[in-house]
Amino acid sequence: MSKGGRFTALAASAILLSVVSLVSLSSRAEERGNPKTTGYPAVEDVPARPDKPAMTADEQLKLKKELSATRDRQAPKGKVSGGVGQPVKP
């Protein structure tokens, strides 16, 4: 093969390679229509409020009384250690 033939083959190969690479780039640009998802909800995306509250006011009051009674039963009675008395209820 002569120098002119090699140069022509090399030039044709370079042109073919550049066309192939441009076609692959344009197909990638078309694929980017969908944004990446991070798995986290958007800032303004808040869940809907539940139809029924977790606890009614009566249930909350009953639970507070039970917790207070349990705390009072667990507190040491009549013992004062280090000058500290009964715990103060919040």
Side-chain angles (χ1 to χ4, degrees):
M1 194 180 246
S2 67
K3 275 189 168 184
R6 286 184 187 171
F7 180 74
T8 305
L10 183 60
S13 300
I15 291 172
L16 181 63
L17 182 62
S18 65
V19 168
V20 169
S21 66
L22 288 176
V23 169
S24 67
L25 287 177
S26 66
S27 66
R28 287 186 201 158
E30 293 172 4
E31 292 175 7
R32 292 188 182 190
N34 297 337
K36 275 186 155 181
T37 58
T38 60
Y40 295 104
V43 172
E44 64 275 356
D45 189 14
V46 294
R49 288 193 171 258
D51 295 334
K52 181 183 169 206
M55 296 178 76
T56 64
D58 293 336
E59 291 172 333
Q60 288 179 4
L61 183 61
K62 180 181 174 187
L63 184 61
K64 285 180 183 179
K65 287 181 180 180
E66 289 177 5
L67 289 172
S68 295
T70 303
R71 182 184 59 211
D72 292 341
R73 281 194 308 267
Q74 290 178 351
K77 295 183 181 177
K79 291 185 179 179
V80 177
S81 60
V84 179
Q86 292 283 337
V88 178
K89 291 183 183 178

Coordinates of all heavy atoms in Angstrom, one line a residue:
M1 N 0.9 -1.2 0.0 CA 0.0 0.0 0.0 C 0.9 1.2 0.0 O 1.9 1.3 0.7 CB -0.9 0.0 1.2 CG -2.0 0.9 1.2 SD -3.0 0.8 2.7 CE -4.5 0.2 2.0
S2 N 0.5 2.2 -0.8 CA 1.3 3.4 -0.9 C 1.0 4.4 0.2 O 0.1 4.2 1.0 CB 1.1 4.1 -2.3 OG -0.2 4.6 -2.3
K3 N 1.9 5.4 0.3 CA 1.7 6.4 1.4 C 0.3 7.1 1.2 O -0.4 7.4 2.2 CB 2.8 7.4 1.4 CG 4.0 7.0 2.1 CD 4.9 8.2 2.2 CE 6.0 7.9 3.2 NZ 6.9 9.0 3.4
G4 N -0.1 7.4 0.0 CA -1.3 8.1 -0.2 C -2.5 7.2 0.1 O -3.5 7.7 0.7
G5 N -2.4 5.9 -0.1 CA -3.5 5.0 0.2 C -3.6 4.8 1.7 O -4.7 4.7 2.3
R6 N -2.5 4.8 2.4 CA -2.5 4.7 3.9 C -3.1 5.9 4.5 O -3.9 5.9 5.5 CB -1.1 4.5 4.5 CG -0.5 3.1 4.2 CD 0.8 3.0 4.9 NE 1.4 1.7 4.5 CZ 2.6 1.4 4.8 NH1 3.4 2.2 5.4 NH2 3.1 0.2 4.5
F7 N -2.7 7.1 4.0 CA -3.3 8.3 4.5 C -4.8 8.4 4.3 O -5.5 8.8 5.1 CB -2.6 9.5 3.8 CG -3.1 10.8 4.3 CD1 -2.7 11.3 5.5 CD2 -3.9 11.6 3.5 CE1 -3.2 12.5 6.0 CE2 -4.4 12.8 3.9 CZ -4.0 13.3 5.2
T8 N -5.2 8.0 3.1 CA -6.6 7.9 2.8 C -7.4 7.0 3.8 O -8.5 7.3 4.3 CB -6.9 7.5 1.3 OG1 -6.1 8.4 0.5 CG2 -8.4 7.6 1.0
A9 N -6.8 5.8 4.0 CA -7.5 4.8 4.9 C -7.5 5.4 6.3 O -8.5 5.2 7.0 CB -6.7 3.5 4.8
L10 N -6.4 6.0 6.7 CA -6.3 6.6 8.1 C -7.4 7.7 8.2 O -8.1 7.8 9.2 CB -4.9 7.1 8.4 CG -4.7 7.7 9.7 CD1 -5.0 6.6 10.8 CD2 -3.3 8.2 9.9
A11 N -7.5 8.6 7.2 CA -8.4 9.7 7.2 C -9.9 9.2 7.3 O -10.7 9.6 8.0 CB -8.2 10.6 6.0
A12 N -10.1 8.1 6.5 CA -11.5 7.5 6.4 C -11.8 6.9 7.8 O -12.9 7.0 8.3 CB -11.6 6.5 5.3
S13 N -10.8 6.3 8.4 CA -11.0 5.7 9.7 C -11.3 6.7 10.8 O -12.2 6.6 11.6 CB -9.8 4.9 10.1 OG -9.6 3.8 9.2
A14 N -10.6 7.8 10.7 CA -10.8 8.9 11.7 C -12.2 9.5 11.5 O -12.9 9.8 12.5 CB -9.7 10.0 11.5
I15 N -12.6 9.7 10.3 CA -13.9 10.3 10.1 C -15.0 9.3 10.5 O -16.0 9.7 11.2 CB -14.1 10.6 8.6 CG1 -13.2 11.8 8.2 CG2 -15.6 10.9 8.2 CD1 -13.1 12.1 6.7
L16 N -14.9 8.0 10.2 CA -15.8 7.0 10.7 C -15.9 7.0 12.2 O -17.0 6.9 12.8 CB -15.5 5.7 10.1 CG -16.4 4.5 10.4 CD1 -17.8 4.8 9.9 CD2 -15.9 3.2 9.9
L17 N -14.7 7.0 12.8 CA -14.7 7.0 14.3 C -15.4 8.2 14.9 O -16.1 8.1 15.9 CB -13.2 6.9 14.8 CG -13.0 6.8 16.3 CD1 -13.7 5.5 16.8 CD2 -11.6 6.8 16.6
S18 N -15.2 9.4 14.3 CA -15.8 10.6 14.9 C -17.3 10.6 14.7 O -18.1 11.0 15.6 CB -15.2 11.8 14.3 OG -15.5 11.9 12.9
V19 N -17.8 10.0 13.6 CA -19.2 9.9 13.3 C -19.8 9.0 14.3 O -20.9 9.2 14.9 CB -19.5 9.5 11.9 CG1 -21.0 9.1 11.7 CG2 -19.1 10.6 10.9
V20 N -19.2 7.8 14.6 CA -19.7 6.8 15.5 C -19.8 7.4 16.9 O -20.7 7.2 17.6 CB -18.9 5.5 15.4 CG1 -19.2 4.6 16.6 CG2 -19.1 4.9 14.1
S21 N -18.7 8.1 17.3 CA -18.7 8.7 18.7 C -19.8 9.8 18.8 O -20.4 9.9 19.9 CB -17.3 9.2 19.0 OG -17.0 10.4 18.2
L22 N -20.0 10.6 17.8 CA -21.1 11.6 17.8 C -22.5 11.0 17.9 O -23.3 11.5 18.6 CB -21.0 12.6 16.6 CG -19.8 13.5 16.6 CD1 -19.8 14.3 15.3 CD2 -19.8 14.4 17.8
V23 N -22.7 9.9 17.2 CA -24.0 9.2 17.3 C -24.2 8.7 18.7 O -25.3 8.8 19.2 CB -24.1 8.1 16.2 CG1 -25.3 7.2 16.4 CG2 -24.1 8.7 14.8
S24 N -23.2 8.1 19.3 CA -23.4 7.6 20.6 C -23.7 8.7 21.6 O -24.4 8.5 22.6 CB -22.2 6.7 21.1 OG -21.1 7.5 21.2
L25 N -23.0 9.9 21.5 CA -23.3 11.0 22.3 C -24.7 11.5 22.2 O -25.3 11.9 23.2 CB -22.3 12.1 22.1 CG -20.8 11.9 22.5 CD1 -19.9 13.0 22.1 CD2 -20.8 11.7 24.0
S26 N -25.2 11.6 21.0 CA -26.5 12.1 20.8 C -27.6 11.1 21.4 O -28.6 11.5 21.9 CB -26.8 12.3 19.3 OG -26.8 11.1 18.6
S27 N -27.3 9.8 21.4 CA -28.3 8.9 21.9 C -28.2 9.0 23.5 O -29.2 8.8 24.1 CB -28.0 7.5 21.5 OG -26.7 7.0 22.0
R28 N -27.1 9.3 24.1 CA -27.0 9.5 25.5 C -27.7 10.7 25.9 O -28.4 10.7 27.0 CB -25.5 9.6 26.0 CG -24.8 8.3 25.9 CD -23.4 8.5 26.5 NE -22.5 7.4 26.1 CZ -21.2 7.5 26.1 NH1 -20.6 8.6 26.5 NH2 -20.5 6.5 25.7
A29 N -27.7 11.7 25.1 CA -28.4 13.0 25.5 C -29.9 12.8 25.5 O -30.6 13.4 26.3 CB -28.0 14.1 24.5
E30 N -30.4 11.9 24.7 CA -31.8 11.6 24.6 C -32.2 10.8 25.9 O -33.3 10.9 26.3 CB -32.2 10.9 23.4 CG -32.0 11.7 22.1 CD -32.2 10.9 20.8 OE1 -32.5 9.7 20.9 OE2 -32.0 11.5 19.8
E31 N -31.4 10.0 26.4 CA -31.7 9.1 27.5 C -31.8 9.9 28.8 O -32.3 9.4 29.8 CB -30.6 8.0 27.7 CG -30.6 7.0 26.5 CD -29.5 6.0 26.7 OE1 -28.8 6.1 27.7 OE2 -29.3 5.3 25.7
R32 N -31.3 11.1 28.9 CA -31.2 11.9 30.1 C -32.5 12.5 30.5 O -32.6 13.4 31.3 CB -30.1 12.9 30.1 CG -28.7 12.3 30.1 CD -27.7 13.3 30.2 NE -26.4 12.7 30.1 CZ -25.3 13.4 30.4 NH1 -25.3 14.6 30.7 NH2 -24.1 12.7 30.3
G33 N -33.6 12.1 29.9 CA -34.9 12.7 30.2 C -35.4 12.5 31.6 O -36.1 13.3 32.2
N34 N -35.0 11.4 32.2 CA -35.5 11.0 33.5 C -34.4 11.5 34.5 O -33.3 11.0 34.5 CB -35.7 9.5 33.7 CG -36.8 9.1 32.8 OD1 -37.7 9.8 32.4 ND2 -36.8 7.8 32.4
P35 N -34.7 12.3 35.5 CA -33.7 12.7 36.5 C -33.5 11.6 37.4 O -34.3 10.7 37.6 CB -34.4 13.9 37.2 CG -35.9 13.7 37.0 CD -36.0 13.0 35.7
K36 N -32.3 11.6 38.0 CA -31.9 10.6 39.0 C -32.8 10.7 40.3 O -33.0 11.9 40.7 CB -30.5 10.7 39.4 CG -29.5 10.0 38.5 CD -28.1 10.1 39.1 CE -27.3 9.0 38.7 NZ -25.9 9.1 39.3
T37 N -33.2 9.7 40.8 CA -34.0 9.7 42.1 C -33.0 9.4 43.2 O -32.2 8.5 43.1 CB -35.1 8.7 42.1 OG1 -34.7 7.4 41.9 CG2 -36.1 9.1 41.0
T38 N -33.1 10.1 44.3 CA -32.2 9.9 45.4 C -32.8 9.0 46.5 O -32.1 8.5 47.4 CB -31.9 11.2 46.1 OG1 -33.1 11.8 46.6 CG2 -31.2 12.2 45.2
G39 N -34.1 8.7 46.4 CA -34.7 7.8 47.4 C -35.3 8.6 48.6 O -36.0 8.1 49.4
Y40 N -35.0 9.9 48.6 CA -35.6 10.8 49.6 C -36.8 11.6 49.0 O -36.7 12.0 47.9 CB -34.6 11.8 50.2 CG -33.4 11.1 50.9 CD1 -32.2 10.9 50.3 CD2 -33.6 10.6 52.2 CE1 -31.2 10.3 51.0 CE2 -32.6 9.9 52.8 CZ -31.4 9.8 52.2 OH -30.3 9.2 52.9
P41 N -37.8 11.9 49.8 CA -38.9 12.7 49.3 C -38.5 14.1 49.1 O -37.5 14.6 49.7 CB -40.0 12.5 50.3 CG -39.3 12.2 51.6 CD -38.1 11.4 51.2
A42 N -39.2 14.8 48.2 CA -38.9 16.2 48.0 C -39.3 17.0 49.3 O -40.0 16.6 50.1 CB -39.7 16.7 46.8
V43 N -38.7 18.2 49.4 CA -38.9 19.0 50.6 C -40.4 19.4 50.7 O -40.9 19.3 51.8 CB -38.1 20.3 50.5 CG1 -38.4 21.3 51.6 CG2 -36.6 20.0 50.5
E44 N -41.1 19.7 49.7 CA -42.5 20.1 49.8 C -43.4 18.9 49.8 O -44.6 19.1 49.9 CB -42.8 21.1 48.6 CG -42.8 20.4 47.2 CD -41.4 20.5 46.6 OE1 -40.4 21.0 47.2 OE2 -41.2 19.9 45.6
D45 N -42.9 17.7 49.7 CA -43.7 16.5 49.7 C -44.0 16.0 51.1 O -43.1 15.4 51.7 CB -43.0 15.4 48.9 CG -43.9 14.2 48.6 OD1 -45.1 14.3 48.8 OD2 -43.4 13.2 48.2
V46 N -45.2 16.3 51.6 CA -45.5 16.0 53.0 C -46.6 14.9 53.0 O -47.4 14.9 52.1 CB -46.0 17.2 53.8 CG1 -44.9 18.2 54.0 CG2 -47.2 17.8 53.1
P47 N -46.6 14.0 53.9 CA -47.6 12.9 53.9 C -49.0 13.5 54.3 O -49.1 14.5 55.0 CB -47.1 12.0 55.0 CG -46.2 12.8 55.9 CD -45.6 13.8 55.0
A48 N -50.0 12.8 53.9 CA -51.4 13.2 54.2 C -51.7 13.0 55.7 O -51.1 12.1 56.3 CB -52.3 12.4 53.3
R49 N -52.5 13.9 56.2 CA -52.9 13.7 57.6 C -53.8 12.5 57.8 O -54.6 12.2 56.9 CB -53.6 14.9 58.1 CG -52.7 16.1 58.3 CD -53.5 17.2 59.1 NE -52.6 18.3 59.4 CZ -52.0 18.4 60.6 NH1 -52.3 17.6 61.5 NH2 -51.2 19.4 60.8
P50 N -53.6 11.7 58.9 CA -54.4 10.6 59.1 C -55.9 11.0 59.4 O -56.1 12.0 59.9 CB -53.8 9.9 60.3 CG -53.0 10.9 61.0 CD -52.6 11.9 59.9
D51 N -56.8 10.1 59.0 CA -58.2 10.4 59.2 C -58.5 10.3 60.7 O -59.4 11.0 61.2 CB -59.1 9.4 58.5 CG -58.9 9.5 57.0 OD1 -58.6 10.6 56.5 OD2 -59.1 8.5 56.2
K52 N -57.9 9.3 61.4 CA -58.2 9.1 62.8 C -56.9 9.4 63.6 O -55.8 8.9 63.3 CB -58.6 7.7 63.0 CG -59.0 7.3 64.4 CD -59.3 5.8 64.5 CE -59.4 5.5 66.0 NZ -59.1 4.1 66.2
P53 N -57.0 10.1 64.7 CA -55.8 10.4 65.5 C -55.3 9.1 66.2 O -56.0 8.1 66.4 CB -56.2 11.4 66.6 CG -57.7 11.3 66.6 CD -58.1 10.8 65.3
A54 N -54.0 9.0 66.5 CA -53.4 7.9 67.1 C -54.1 7.5 68.5 O -54.3 6.4 68.8 CB -51.9 8.0 67.3
M55 N -54.3 8.6 69.2 CA -55.0 8.4 70.5 C -56.0 9.5 70.7 O -55.8 10.7 70.4 CB -54.0 8.5 71.7 CG -52.9 7.4 71.7 SD -51.7 7.6 73.0 CE -52.7 7.1 74.4
T56 N -57.1 9.2 71.4 CA -58.1 10.2 71.7 C -57.7 10.9 72.9 O -56.8 10.5 73.6 CB -59.5 9.5 71.9 OG1 -59.4 8.7 73.0 CG2 -60.0 8.8 70.7
A57 N -58.4 12.0 73.2 CA -58.0 12.8 74.5 C -58.2 12.0 75.7 O -57.4 12.0 76.7 CB -58.9 14.1 74.5
D58 N -59.3 11.1 75.7 CA -59.5 10.3 76.9 C -58.4 9.2 77.1 O -58.0 9.0 78.2 CB -60.9 9.6 76.8 CG -62.1 10.5 76.8 OD1 -61.9 11.6 77.4 OD2 -63.1 10.2 76.3
E59 N -58.0 8.7 76.0 CA -56.9 7.7 76.0 C -55.6 8.3 76.5 O -54.8 7.7 77.3 CB -56.7 7.0 74.7 CG -57.8 6.1 74.2 CD -57.7 5.6 72.8 OE1 -57.0 6.3 72.0 OE2 -58.2 4.6 72.5
Q60 N -55.3 9.5 76.1 CA -54.1 10.2 76.5 C -54.2 10.5 78.0 O -53.2 10.3 78.7 CB -54.0 11.6 75.7 CG -53.6 11.4 74.3 CD -53.4 12.7 73.6 OE1 -53.6 13.8 74.1 NE2 -53.2 12.6 72.3
L61 N -55.3 11.0 78.5 CA -55.5 11.3 79.9 C -55.3 10.0 80.7 O -54.6 10.0 81.8 CB -56.8 11.9 80.2 CG -57.1 12.3 81.6 CD1 -56.1 13.4 82.0 CD2 -58.5 12.9 81.7
K62 N -55.9 8.9 80.3 CA -55.8 7.6 81.0 C -54.3 7.2 81.1 O -53.8 6.8 82.1 CB -56.6 6.6 80.3 CG -56.6 5.2 81.0 CD -57.4 4.2 80.3 CE -57.2 2.8 80.9 NZ -57.9 1.8 80.1
L63 N -53.6 7.3 79.9 CA -52.2 6.9 79.9 C -51.3 7.8 80.8 O -50.4 7.3 81.5 CB -51.7 7.0 78.5 CG -50.3 6.5 78.2 CD1 -50.1 5.0 78.6 CD2 -49.9 6.7 76.8
K64 N -51.6 9.1 80.8 CA -50.8 10.0 81.7 C -51.0 9.6 83.2 O -50.1 9.6 83.9 CB -51.2 11.4 81.5 CG -50.7 12.0 80.2 CD -51.1 13.5 80.0 CE -50.6 14.0 78.7 NZ -51.1 15.4 78.5
K65 N -52.3 9.3 83.5 CA -52.5 8.9 84.9 C -51.8 7.6 85.3 O -51.2 7.5 86.3 CB -54.0 8.8 85.1 CG -54.8 10.1 85.2 CD -56.2 9.8 85.4 CE -57.0 11.2 85.5 NZ -58.4 11.0 85.7
E66 N -51.8 6.6 84.3 CA -51.1 5.4 84.6 C -49.6 5.6 84.7 O -49.0 5.0 85.6 CB -51.4 4.4 83.5 CG -52.9 3.9 83.4 CD -53.1 2.9 82.2 OE1 -52.2 2.7 81.5 OE2 -54.3 2.5 82.1
L67 N -49.1 6.4 83.9 CA -47.6 6.7 84.0 C -47.3 7.4 85.2 O -46.2 7.1 85.9 CB -47.2 7.5 82.7 CG -47.2 6.7 81.4 CD1 -46.9 7.7 80.3 CD2 -46.2 5.6 81.4
S68 N -48.1 8.3 85.7 CA -47.8 9.0 86.9 C -47.9 8.1 88.1 O -47.1 8.1 89.0 CB -48.8 10.2 87.1 OG -48.6 11.2 86.1
A69 N -48.9 7.2 88.1 CA -49.1 6.3 89.2 C -47.9 5.3 89.2 O -47.4 5.0 90.3 CB -50.4 5.5 89.0
T70 N -47.4 4.8 88.1 CA -46.3 3.9 88.0 C -45.0 4.6 88.5 O -44.3 4.0 89.3 CB -46.1 3.4 86.6 OG1 -47.3 2.8 86.2 CG2 -44.9 2.4 86.5
R71 N -44.8 5.9 88.2 CA -43.7 6.6 88.6 C -43.7 6.8 90.1 O -42.7 6.7 90.8 CB -43.6 8.0 87.9 CG -42.4 8.8 88.3 CD -42.4 10.2 87.7 NE -43.6 10.9 88.1 CZ -44.2 11.8 87.4 NH1 -43.8 12.1 86.2 NH2 -45.3 12.4 87.8
D72 N -44.9 7.1 90.7 CA -45.0 7.3 92.1 C -44.8 6.0 92.9 O -44.2 6.0 94.0 CB -46.4 7.9 92.4 CG -46.6 9.3 91.9 OD1 -45.6 10.0 91.6 OD2 -47.8 9.7 91.8
R73 N -45.2 4.9 92.3 CA -44.9 3.6 93.0 C -43.4 3.2 93.0 O -42.9 2.6 93.9 CB -45.7 2.5 92.2 CG -47.2 2.4 92.6 CD -47.8 1.1 92.1 NE -47.5 0.8 90.7 CZ -48.3 1.1 89.7 NH1 -49.4 1.8 90.0 NH2 -48.0 0.8 88.5
Q74 N -42.7 3.6 91.9 CA -41.3 3.3 91.8 C -40.4 4.2 92.7 O -39.3 3.9 93.0 CB -40.9 3.3 90.4 CG -41.4 2.2 89.5 CD -41.0 2.3 88.1 OE1 -40.4 3.3 87.7 NE2 -41.3 1.3 87.3
A75 N -40.9 5.4 93.0 CA -40.1 6.3 93.8 C -39.9 5.8 95.2 O -40.8 5.3 95.8 CB -40.8 7.7 93.9
P76 N -38.7 5.9 95.7 CA -38.4 5.4 97.1 C -39.2 6.3 98.1 O -39.2 7.5 98.0 CB -36.9 5.6 97.3 CG -36.5 6.6 96.2 CD -37.5 6.5 95.1
K77 N -39.9 5.7 99.0 CA -40.7 6.4 100.0 C -39.9 6.5 101.3 O -39.4 5.6 101.8 CB -42.0 5.7 100.2 CG -42.8 5.7 99.0 CD -44.2 5.1 99.2 CE -44.9 5.1 97.9 NZ -46.2 4.5 97.9
G78 N -39.8 7.7 101.8 CA -39.3 8.0 103.1 C -37.7 7.9 103.2 O -37.2 8.3 104.2
K79 N -37.1 7.6 102.1 CA -35.7 7.6 102.0 C -35.2 8.8 101.4 O -35.6 9.2 100.3 CB -35.1 6.4 101.2 CG -35.4 5.0 101.9 CD -34.7 4.0 101.0 CE -34.9 2.6 101.7 NZ -34.3 1.6 100.9
V80 N -34.3 9.5 102.1 CA -33.7 10.7 101.6 C -32.2 10.4 101.5 O -31.5 10.2 102.5 CB -33.9 11.9 102.4 CG1 -33.2 13.1 101.9 CG2 -35.4 12.1 102.6
S81 N -31.6 10.4 100.3 CA -30.2 10.1 100.1 C -29.5 11.3 99.6 O -30.0 11.9 98.5 CB -30.0 8.9 99.2 OG -30.5 9.2 97.9
G82 N -28.6 11.8 100.3 CA -27.8 12.9 99.8 C -28.6 14.2 99.9 O -28.3 15.2 99.1
G83 N -29.6 14.3 100.7 CA -30.3 15.6 100.9 C -31.3 15.8 99.7 O -31.9 16.9 99.6
V84 N -31.6 14.8 98.9 CA -32.5 14.9 97.8 C -33.8 14.2 98.2 O -33.8 13.1 98.6 CB -31.9 14.3 96.5 CG1 -32.9 14.5 95.4 CG2 -30.6 15.0 96.2
G85 N -34.9 14.9 98.0 CA -36.2 14.4 98.3 C -36.9 13.7 97.1 O -36.2 13.2 96.2
Q86 N -38.2 13.7 97.2 CA -39.0 13.1 96.1 C -38.7 13.8 94.8 O -38.5 15.1 94.8 CB -40.5 13.2 96.4 CG -40.9 12.3 97.6 CD -41.0 10.8 97.2 OE1 -41.2 10.6 96.0 NE2 -40.9 10.0 98.2
P87 N -38.8 13.1 93.7 CA -38.6 13.8 92.4 C -39.8 14.8 92.1 O -40.9 14.5 92.6 CB -38.6 12.7 91.4 CG -39.1 11.5 92.1 CD -38.9 11.7 93.5
V88 N -39.5 15.9 91.5 CA -40.5 16.9 91.2 C -41.3 16.5 89.9 O -40.6 16.2 88.9 CB -39.9 18.3 91.0 CG1 -40.9 19.3 90.7 CG2 -39.1 18.6 92.3
K89 N -42.6 16.5 90.0 CA -43.4 16.1 88.8 C -43.3 17.3 87.8 O -43.4 18.5 88.2 CB -44.8 15.9 89.2 CG -45.0 14.6 90.0 CD -46.5 14.4 90.2 CE -46.7 13.1 91.1 NZ -48.1 12.9 91.4
P90 N -43.2 17.0 86.6 CA -43.2 18.1 85.6 C -44.5 18.7 85.4 O -45.5 18.3 85.6 CB -42.7 17.4 84.3 CG -42.9 15.9 84.5 CD -43.0 15.7 86.0

